[in-house]
Amino acid sequence: MDPLARALQAIDALHSADPTTDPTTGTPNELHYAQRMTAWLDRHTPNPSSALQLAIRAQHLKRWEVPRATYPAGKAGYYAWRTGLARRQAEMAVQVCVASGIAEAEAQRVGQLIRKEGLKGKEVDAEAQVLEDVACLVFLEEQLEGFQDGYEEEKVVAILRKTWGKMSERGRGLALTEVRLGERGRELVGLALGDS
């Protein structure tokens, strides 16, 4: 088995330890999420680098171990939680990659991508943008329906506008043409994009 396949297998083994399961598939939640991330990467980018494949697969590595409630409520607490998770997930992914035979420099690149370094500023890292697009596509297809139930319409529309703003033109095109949304999801996206 080559190092990429070994690393992907090791990442999936960690995802498989998630004690919660996806209700539609019975698969551990984080394994299901990782599989959806890879499926969207395949649709988004032909021939992605090994580092991007690994970062996409490991983006939520063992996320269930650090619940949102372990950080303070509010926007500042939310961003601290997300930043802390990204650092933790990147460190674990680098370790898994190196242990699987991935070269140190490539493993560090996986960590950079998971931390989404290079998304801000004049020079946007194209692979970090792909990871962001893919995460947004998975959110729209897999999580929007359940997410919208917990918030007022205005808040969901604002979040959808922010999500749209994070995506590249390629990601937006896929969102409009290939994401399967329910009727309410389509309505909310229409409101966010000013279609109604």
Side-chain angles (χ1 to χ4, degrees), residues 136-172:
C136 291
L137 290 163
V138 172
F139 166 72
L140 290 171
E141 185 171 69
E142 295 277 318
Q143 300 164 341
L144 177 59
E145 295 293 330
F147 176 80
Q148 67 185 330
D149 294 339
Y151 296 95
E152 298 284 328
E153 179 180 278
E154 186 177 309
K155 173 87 169 169
V156 175
V157 168
I159 288 167
L160 284 169
R161 284 188 184 124
K162 285 182 186 175
T163 300
W164 200 254
K166 294 176 183 180
M167 298 170 76
S168 69
E169 288 304 314
R170 171 76 176 141
R172 291 172 185 167

mmCIF file of all heavy atoms in Angstrom, residues 136-172:
data_model
loop_
_atom_site.group_PDB
_atom_site.id
_atom_site.type_symbol
_atom_site.label_atom_id
_atom_site.label_comp_id
_atom_site.label_asym_id
_atom_site.label_seq_id
_atom_site.Cartn_x
_atom_site.Cartn_y
_atom_site.Cartn_z
ATOM 1 N N CYS A 136 -18.011 24.162 2.197
ATOM 2 C CA CYS A 136 -19.270 24.894 2.002
ATOM 3 C C CYS A 136 -20.287 24.036 1.245
ATOM 4 O O CYS A 136 -21.480 24.037 1.581
ATOM 5 C CB CYS A 136 -19.017 26.195 1.249
ATOM 6 S SG CYS A 136 -18.113 27.445 2.187
ATOM 7 N N LEU A 137 -19.837 23.294 0.251
ATOM 8 C CA LEU A 137 -20.740 22.425 -0.506
ATOM 9 C C LEU A 137 -21.323 21.323 0.375
ATOM 10 O O LEU A 137 -22.517 21.026 0.294
ATOM 11 C CB LEU A 137 -20.001 21.832 -1.712
ATOM 12 C CG LEU A 137 -19.663 22.843 -2.817
ATOM 13 C CD1 LEU A 137 -18.596 22.282 -3.752
ATOM 14 C CD2 LEU A 137 -20.907 23.257 -3.583
ATOM 15 N N VAL A 138 -20.482 20.747 1.225
ATOM 16 C CA VAL A 138 -20.980 19.720 2.148
ATOM 17 C C VAL A 138 -21.980 20.333 3.126
ATOM 18 O O VAL A 138 -23.023 19.737 3.413
ATOM 19 C CB VAL A 138 -19.820 19.019 2.884
ATOM 20 C CG1 VAL A 138 -20.341 18.097 3.979
ATOM 21 C CG2 VAL A 138 -18.962 18.232 1.905
ATOM 22 N N PHE A 139 -21.684 21.527 3.624
ATOM 23 C CA PHE A 139 -22.627 22.205 4.525
ATOM 24 C C PHE A 139 -23.977 22.385 3.834
ATOM 25 O O PHE A 139 -25.028 22.061 4.398
ATOM 26 C CB PHE A 139 -22.075 23.563 4.971
ATOM 27 C CG PHE A 139 -23.115 24.444 5.615
ATOM 28 C CD1 PHE A 139 -23.593 24.156 6.884
ATOM 29 C CD2 PHE A 139 -23.637 25.532 4.941
ATOM 30 C CE1 PHE A 139 -24.572 24.953 7.478
ATOM 31 C CE2 PHE A 139 -24.613 26.336 5.524
ATOM 32 C CZ PHE A 139 -25.077 26.044 6.794
ATOM 33 N N LEU A 140 -23.957 22.897 2.609
ATOM 34 C CA LEU A 140 -25.213 23.156 1.901
ATOM 35 C C LEU A 140 -25.996 21.872 1.665
ATOM 36 O O LEU A 140 -27.211 21.833 1.879
ATOM 37 C CB LEU A 140 -24.929 23.848 0.562
ATOM 38 C CG LEU A 140 -24.428 25.294 0.654
ATOM 39 C CD1 LEU A 140 -23.966 25.777 -0.715
ATOM 40 C CD2 LEU A 140 -25.498 26.214 1.222
ATOM 41 N N GLU A 141 -25.320 20.828 1.237
ATOM 42 C CA GLU A 141 -26.022 19.604 0.885
ATOM 43 C C GLU A 141 -26.393 18.745 2.094
ATOM 44 O O GLU A 141 -27.471 18.164 2.139
ATOM 45 C CB GLU A 141 -25.184 18.775 -0.080
ATOM 46 C CG GLU A 141 -25.927 17.540 -0.573
ATOM 47 C CD GLU A 141 -25.198 16.839 -1.689
ATOM 48 O OE1 GLU A 141 -24.131 16.257 -1.412
ATOM 49 O OE2 GLU A 141 -25.695 16.888 -2.817
ATOM 50 N N GLU A 142 -25.512 18.675 3.065
ATOM 51 C CA GLU A 142 -25.687 17.727 4.166
ATOM 52 C C GLU A 142 -26.242 18.344 5.448
ATOM 53 O O GLU A 142 -26.847 17.656 6.242
ATOM 54 C CB GLU A 142 -24.337 17.073 4.505
ATOM 55 C CG GLU A 142 -23.775 16.216 3.413
ATOM 56 C CD GLU A 142 -24.363 14.828 3.411
ATOM 57 O OE1 GLU A 142 -24.525 14.247 4.495
ATOM 58 O OE2 GLU A 142 -24.659 14.325 2.319
ATOM 59 N N GLN A 143 -25.970 19.634 5.688
ATOM 60 C CA GLN A 143 -26.236 20.193 7.011
ATOM 61 C C GLN A 143 -27.262 21.324 7.037
ATOM 62 O O GLN A 143 -27.815 21.613 8.090
ATOM 63 C CB GLN A 143 -24.916 20.670 7.632
ATOM 64 C CG GLN A 143 -23.934 19.521 7.779
ATOM 65 C CD GLN A 143 -22.501 19.976 8.015
ATOM 66 O OE1 GLN A 143 -22.140 21.110 7.742
ATOM 67 N NE2 GLN A 143 -21.684 19.079 8.530
ATOM 68 N N LEU A 144 -27.507 21.959 5.909
ATOM 69 C CA LEU A 144 -28.409 23.114 5.890
ATOM 70 C C LEU A 144 -29.806 22.763 6.393
ATOM 71 O O LEU A 144 -30.384 23.502 7.192
ATOM 72 C CB LEU A 144 -28.490 23.727 4.490
ATOM 73 C CG LEU A 144 -29.462 24.896 4.326
ATOM 74 C CD1 LEU A 144 -29.106 26.048 5.264
ATOM 75 C CD2 LEU A 144 -29.497 25.363 2.881
ATOM 76 N N GLU A 145 -30.345 21.648 5.948
ATOM 77 C CA GLU A 145 -31.711 21.290 6.326
ATOM 78 C C GLU A 145 -31.878 21.202 7.848
ATOM 79 O O GLU A 145 -32.814 21.749 8.413
ATOM 80 C CB GLU A 145 -32.121 19.963 5.677
ATOM 81 C CG GLU A 145 -32.194 20.012 4.160
ATOM 82 C CD GLU A 145 -33.303 20.892 3.607
ATOM 83 O OE1 GLU A 145 -34.347 21.035 4.257
ATOM 84 O OE2 GLU A 145 -33.117 21.428 2.508
ATOM 85 N N GLY A 146 -30.969 20.522 8.524
ATOM 86 C CA GLY A 146 -31.049 20.398 9.981
ATOM 87 C C GLY A 146 -30.658 21.672 10.692
ATOM 88 O O GLY A 146 -31.228 22.031 11.725
ATOM 89 N N PHE A 147 -29.703 22.395 10.138
ATOM 90 C CA PHE A 147 -29.196 23.626 10.736
ATOM 91 C C PHE A 147 -30.275 24.700 10.814
ATOM 92 O O PHE A 147 -30.410 25.395 11.810
ATOM 93 C CB PHE A 147 -28.007 24.117 9.900
ATOM 94 C CG PHE A 147 -27.440 25.423 10.328
ATOM 95 C CD1 PHE A 147 -26.568 25.498 11.401
ATOM 96 C CD2 PHE A 147 -27.763 26.594 9.653
ATOM 97 C CE1 PHE A 147 -26.030 26.719 11.795
ATOM 98 C CE2 PHE A 147 -27.237 27.801 10.039
ATOM 99 C CZ PHE A 147 -26.368 27.863 11.112
ATOM 100 N N GLN A 148 -31.063 24.819 9.752
ATOM 101 C CA GLN A 148 -32.033 25.909 9.675
ATOM 102 C C GLN A 148 -33.119 25.811 10.751
ATOM 103 O O GLN A 148 -33.719 26.810 11.115
ATOM 104 C CB GLN A 148 -32.660 25.950 8.289
ATOM 105 C CG GLN A 148 -33.521 24.739 7.993
ATOM 106 C CD GLN A 148 -34.039 24.728 6.575
ATOM 107 O OE1 GLN A 148 -34.243 25.774 5.988
ATOM 108 N NE2 GLN A 148 -34.260 23.551 6.033
ATOM 109 N N ASP A 149 -33.350 24.620 11.276
ATOM 110 C CA ASP A 149 -34.403 24.441 12.273
ATOM 111 C C ASP A 149 -34.108 25.157 13.589
ATOM 112 O O ASP A 149 -35.018 25.509 14.323
ATOM 113 C CB ASP A 149 -34.632 22.951 12.551
ATOM 114 C CG ASP A 149 -35.188 22.229 11.338
ATOM 115 O OD1 ASP A 149 -35.760 22.899 10.459
ATOM 116 O OD2 ASP A 149 -35.030 21.000 11.271
ATOM 117 N N GLY A 150 -32.840 25.381 13.890
ATOM 118 C CA GLY A 150 -32.482 25.968 15.177
ATOM 119 C C GLY A 150 -32.365 27.477 15.184
ATOM 120 O O GLY A 150 -32.037 28.058 16.221
ATOM 121 N N TYR A 151 -32.594 28.130 14.033
ATOM 122 C CA TYR A 151 -32.360 29.578 13.941
ATOM 123 C C TYR A 151 -33.502 30.296 13.241
ATOM 124 O O TYR A 151 -34.236 29.711 12.454
ATOM 125 C CB TYR A 151 -31.062 29.849 13.169
ATOM 126 C CG TYR A 151 -29.834 29.329 13.861
ATOM 127 C CD1 TYR A 151 -29.314 28.073 13.539
ATOM 128 C CD2 TYR A 151 -29.194 30.060 14.847
ATOM 129 C CE1 TYR A 151 -28.183 27.583 14.176
ATOM 130 C CE2 TYR A 151 -28.070 29.584 15.485
ATOM 131 C CZ TYR A 151 -27.574 28.344 15.151
ATOM 132 O OH TYR A 151 -26.455 27.853 15.783
ATOM 133 N N GLU A 152 -33.608 31.576 13.526
ATOM 134 C CA GLU A 152 -34.550 32.435 12.812
ATOM 135 C C GLU A 152 -34.135 32.515 11.342
ATOM 136 O O GLU A 152 -32.951 32.421 11.020
ATOM 137 C CB GLU A 152 -34.534 33.849 13.409
ATOM 138 C CG GLU A 152 -34.956 33.928 14.859
ATOM 139 C CD GLU A 152 -36.455 33.800 15.021
ATOM 140 O OE1 GLU A 152 -37.192 34.235 14.123
ATOM 141 O OE2 GLU A 152 -36.883 33.242 16.046
ATOM 142 N N GLU A 153 -35.095 32.728 10.468
ATOM 143 C CA GLU A 153 -34.823 32.804 9.028
ATOM 144 C C GLU A 153 -33.743 33.838 8.716
ATOM 145 O O GLU A 153 -32.837 33.590 7.920
ATOM 146 C CB GLU A 153 -36.111 33.138 8.278
ATOM 147 C CG GLU A 153 -35.906 33.247 6.780
ATOM 148 C CD GLU A 153 -37.180 33.586 6.045
ATOM 149 O OE1 GLU A 153 -37.972 32.655 5.795
ATOM 150 O OE2 GLU A 153 -37.378 34.787 5.732
ATOM 151 N N GLU A 154 -33.822 35.003 9.343
ATOM 152 C CA GLU A 154 -32.871 36.086 9.076
ATOM 153 C C GLU A 154 -31.429 35.644 9.364
ATOM 154 O O GLU A 154 -30.505 35.945 8.605
ATOM 155 C CB GLU A 154 -33.238 37.298 9.943
ATOM 156 C CG GLU A 154 -32.431 38.541 9.667
ATOM 157 C CD GLU A 154 -32.913 39.704 10.523
ATOM 158 O OE1 GLU A 154 -34.131 39.972 10.540
ATOM 159 O OE2 GLU A 154 -32.054 40.325 11.174
ATOM 160 N N LYS A 155 -31.250 34.907 10.441
ATOM 161 C CA LYS A 155 -29.918 34.422 10.822
ATOM 162 C C LYS A 155 -29.412 33.398 9.805
ATOM 163 O O LYS A 155 -28.247 33.432 9.394
ATOM 164 C CB LYS A 155 -29.985 33.789 12.222
ATOM 165 C CG LYS A 155 -28.725 33.100 12.669
ATOM 166 C CD LYS A 155 -27.786 34.044 13.317
ATOM 167 C CE LYS A 155 -26.651 33.280 13.988
ATOM 168 N NZ LYS A 155 -25.586 34.127 14.411
ATOM 169 N N VAL A 156 -30.274 32.488 9.373
ATOM 170 C CA VAL A 156 -29.876 31.471 8.395
ATOM 171 C C VAL A 156 -29.501 32.140 7.071
ATOM 172 O O VAL A 156 -28.491 31.787 6.446
ATOM 173 C CB VAL A 156 -30.990 30.424 8.184
ATOM 174 C CG1 VAL A 156 -30.617 29.440 7.085
ATOM 175 C CG2 VAL A 156 -31.277 29.683 9.486
ATOM 176 N N VAL A 157 -30.277 33.125 6.647
ATOM 177 C CA VAL A 157 -29.987 33.841 5.401
ATOM 178 C C VAL A 157 -28.638 34.558 5.512
ATOM 179 O O VAL A 157 -27.823 34.520 4.583
ATOM 180 C CB VAL A 157 -31.138 34.816 5.052
ATOM 181 C CG1 VAL A 157 -30.739 35.776 3.940
ATOM 182 C CG2 VAL A 157 -32.390 34.022 4.663
ATOM 183 N N ALA A 158 -28.361 35.165 6.663
ATOM 184 C CA ALA A 158 -27.076 35.845 6.865
ATOM 185 C C ALA A 158 -25.918 34.841 6.801
ATOM 186 O O ALA A 158 -24.870 35.121 6.204
ATOM 187 C CB ALA A 158 -27.070 36.578 8.198
ATOM 188 N N ILE A 159 -26.107 33.677 7.387
ATOM 189 C CA ILE A 159 -25.068 32.639 7.356
ATOM 190 C C ILE A 159 -24.866 32.140 5.923
ATOM 191 O O ILE A 159 -23.731 31.923 5.481
ATOM 192 C CB ILE A 159 -25.416 31.494 8.324
ATOM 193 C CG1 ILE A 159 -25.231 31.988 9.770
ATOM 194 C CG2 ILE A 159 -24.579 30.249 8.062
ATOM 195 C CD1 ILE A 159 -25.815 31.096 10.832
ATOM 196 N N LEU A 160 -25.941 31.986 5.189
ATOM 197 C CA LEU A 160 -25.817 31.558 3.789
ATOM 198 C C LEU A 160 -25.084 32.610 2.960
ATOM 199 O O LEU A 160 -24.283 32.268 2.090
ATOM 200 C CB LEU A 160 -27.197 31.272 3.197
ATOM 201 C CG LEU A 160 -27.826 29.957 3.641
ATOM 202 C CD1 LEU A 160 -29.290 29.887 3.221
ATOM 203 C CD2 LEU A 160 -27.052 28.775 3.078
ATOM 204 N N ARG A 161 -25.321 33.887 3.237
ATOM 205 C CA ARG A 161 -24.586 34.946 2.518
ATOM 206 C C ARG A 161 -23.090 34.874 2.821
ATOM 207 O O ARG A 161 -22.262 35.033 1.929
ATOM 208 C CB ARG A 161 -25.128 36.323 2.899
ATOM 209 C CG ARG A 161 -26.439 36.649 2.246
ATOM 210 C CD ARG A 161 -26.878 38.085 2.468
ATOM 211 N NE ARG A 161 -28.187 38.267 1.888
ATOM 212 C CZ ARG A 161 -29.253 38.703 2.545
ATOM 213 N NH1 ARG A 161 -29.178 39.053 3.824
ATOM 214 N NH2 ARG A 161 -30.413 38.834 1.927
ATOM 215 N N LYS A 162 -22.749 34.631 4.093
ATOM 216 C CA LYS A 162 -21.334 34.483 4.462
ATOM 217 C C LYS A 162 -20.732 33.258 3.789
ATOM 218 O O LYS A 162 -19.598 33.300 3.300
ATOM 219 C CB LYS A 162 -21.183 34.359 5.978
ATOM 220 C CG LYS A 162 -21.357 35.665 6.711
ATOM 221 C CD LYS A 162 -21.144 35.475 8.197
ATOM 222 C CE LYS A 162 -21.478 36.756 8.938
ATOM 223 N NZ LYS A 162 -21.410 36.588 10.382
ATOM 224 N N THR A 163 -21.490 32.169 3.766
ATOM 225 C CA THR A 163 -21.021 30.945 3.117
ATOM 226 C C THR A 163 -20.736 31.217 1.643
ATOM 227 O O THR A 163 -19.689 30.837 1.114
ATOM 228 C CB THR A 163 -22.070 29.816 3.264
ATOM 229 O OG1 THR A 163 -22.275 29.563 4.656
ATOM 230 C CG2 THR A 163 -21.642 28.544 2.567
ATOM 231 N N TRP A 164 -21.670 31.898 0.984
ATOM 232 C CA TRP A 164 -21.516 32.225 -0.431
ATOM 233 C C TRP A 164 -20.269 33.087 -0.650
ATOM 234 O O TRP A 164 -19.518 32.886 -1.607
ATOM 235 C CB TRP A 164 -22.767 32.949 -0.920
ATOM 236 C CG TRP A 164 -22.917 32.910 -2.404
ATOM 237 C CD1 TRP A 164 -22.705 33.929 -3.277
ATOM 238 C CD2 TRP A 164 -23.315 31.789 -3.189
ATOM 239 N NE1 TRP A 164 -22.942 33.515 -4.557
ATOM 240 C CE2 TRP A 164 -23.315 32.204 -4.534
ATOM 241 C CE3 TRP A 164 -23.660 30.478 -2.875
ATOM 242 C CZ2 TRP A 164 -23.658 31.360 -5.583
ATOM 243 C CZ3 TRP A 164 -23.993 29.632 -3.927
ATOM 244 C CH2 TRP A 164 -23.995 30.078 -5.262
ATOM 245 N N GLY A 165 -20.030 34.012 0.253
ATOM 246 C CA GLY A 165 -18.875 34.902 0.143
ATOM 247 C C GLY A 165 -17.543 34.191 0.303
ATOM 248 O O GLY A 165 -16.511 34.686 -0.159
ATOM 249 N N LYS A 166 -17.539 33.032 0.940
ATOM 250 C CA LYS A 166 -16.306 32.261 1.137
ATOM 251 C C LYS A 166 -15.933 31.433 -0.085
ATOM 252 O O LYS A 166 -14.817 30.935 -0.181
ATOM 253 C CB LYS A 166 -16.469 31.286 2.320
ATOM 254 C CG LYS A 166 -16.630 31.938 3.664
ATOM 255 C CD LYS A 166 -16.865 30.848 4.696
ATOM 256 C CE LYS A 166 -17.109 31.413 6.080
ATOM 257 N NZ LYS A 166 -17.337 30.328 7.055
ATOM 258 N N MET A 167 -16.878 31.259 -0.998
ATOM 259 C CA MET A 167 -16.677 30.325 -2.107
ATOM 260 C C MET A 167 -16.124 31.002 -3.352
ATOM 261 O O MET A 167 -16.390 32.169 -3.615
ATOM 262 C CB MET A 167 -18.008 29.636 -2.439
ATOM 263 C CG MET A 167 -18.555 28.810 -1.295
ATOM 264 S SD MET A 167 -20.232 28.234 -1.584
ATOM 265 C CE MET A 167 -19.911 26.919 -2.728
ATOM 266 N N SER A 168 -15.374 30.210 -4.130
ATOM 267 C CA SER A 168 -14.875 30.665 -5.428
ATOM 268 C C SER A 168 -16.015 30.577 -6.450
ATOM 269 O O SER A 168 -17.079 30.021 -6.169
ATOM 270 C CB SER A 168 -13.719 29.779 -5.886
ATOM 271 O OG SER A 168 -14.200 28.478 -6.208
ATOM 272 N N GLU A 169 -15.758 31.099 -7.644
ATOM 273 C CA GLU A 169 -16.755 30.995 -8.711
ATOM 274 C C GLU A 169 -17.052 29.524 -9.030
ATOM 275 O O GLU A 169 -18.192 29.151 -9.271
ATOM 276 C CB GLU A 169 -16.285 31.725 -9.970
ATOM 277 C CG GLU A 169 -16.321 33.236 -9.842
ATOM 278 C CD GLU A 169 -17.699 33.769 -9.471
ATOM 279 O OE1 GLU A 169 -18.707 33.339 -10.075
ATOM 280 O OE2 GLU A 169 -17.777 34.620 -8.567
ATOM 281 N N ARG A 170 -16.016 28.685 -9.008
ATOM 282 C CA ARG A 170 -16.202 27.251 -9.263
ATOM 283 C C ARG A 170 -17.119 26.633 -8.203
ATOM 284 O O ARG A 170 -18.048 25.903 -8.514
ATOM 285 C CB ARG A 170 -14.835 26.543 -9.262
ATOM 286 C CG ARG A 170 -14.905 25.032 -9.296
ATOM 287 C CD ARG A 170 -15.244 24.509 -10.660
ATOM 288 N NE ARG A 170 -15.214 23.043 -10.666
ATOM 289 C CZ ARG A 170 -16.073 22.301 -11.309
ATOM 290 N NH1 ARG A 170 -17.035 22.847 -12.041
ATOM 291 N NH2 ARG A 170 -15.981 20.985 -11.281
ATOM 292 N N GLY A 171 -16.860 26.963 -6.939
ATOM 293 C CA GLY A 171 -17.689 26.442 -5.853
ATOM 294 C C GLY A 171 -19.127 26.916 -5.959
ATOM 295 O O GLY A 171 -20.068 26.134 -5.764
ATOM 296 N N ARG A 172 -19.307 28.175 -6.290
ATOM 297 C CA ARG A 172 -20.665 28.723 -6.429
ATOM 298 C C ARG A 172 -21.413 28.042 -7.569
ATOM 299 O O ARG A 172 -22.610 27.756 -7.461
ATOM 300 C CB ARG A 172 -20.605 30.227 -6.663
ATOM 301 C CG ARG A 172 -20.143 31.003 -5.456
ATOM 302 C CD ARG A 172 -19.924 32.458 -5.795
ATOM 303 N NE ARG A 172 -19.363 33.158 -4.651
ATOM 304 C CZ ARG A 172 -18.844 34.373 -4.712
ATOM 305 N NH1 ARG A 172 -18.814 35.033 -5.854
ATOM 306 N NH2 ARG A 172 -18.339 34.934 -3.628
#
